């Protein structure tokens, strides 16, 4: 289940809630009971590849990372 980060405008605390994506924009009360909260944007790193997305370049044309580039002894 996704975790969403919120900040309370009343006390300034930041807290996380686990909830279904369908409820991601529902209001949230802070642990101190305040209702004036705002959902924060989070940077998410996701592995895998997207359809139609170009593959990352290894640079240098040699491929294979460091050893493919001839820098290993």
């Amino acid at each position: 289940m996704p975790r969403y980060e919120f900040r309370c405008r009343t006390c300034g605390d930041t807290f996380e809630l686990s909830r279904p994506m369908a409820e991601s924009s529902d209001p949230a009360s802070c642990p101190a009971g305040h209702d004036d909260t705002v959902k924060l944007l989070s940077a998410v790193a996701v592995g895998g590849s997207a359809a139609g997305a170009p593959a990352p370049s290894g640079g240098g044309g040699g491929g294979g990372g460091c050893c493919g580039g001839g820098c290993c002894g």
Side-chain angles (χ1 to χ4, degrees):
M1 187 171 313
R3 296 185 61 83
Y4 298 96
E5 191 173 21
F6 294 84
R7 177 173 292 136
C8 178
R9 292 181 181 171
T10 303
C11 65
D13 283 346
T14 300
F15 59 97
E16 292 183 348
L17 293 176
S18 294
R19 53 171 52 169
M21 290 177 73
E23 298 173 12
S24 66
S25 60
D26 288 356
S29 295
C30 86
H34 305 121
D35 291 326
D36 189 12
T37 60
V38 61
K39 187 171 96 170
L40 303 176
L41 295 176
S42 301
V44 178
V46 178
S49 62
S57 171
C66 175
C67 291
C71 64
C72 295

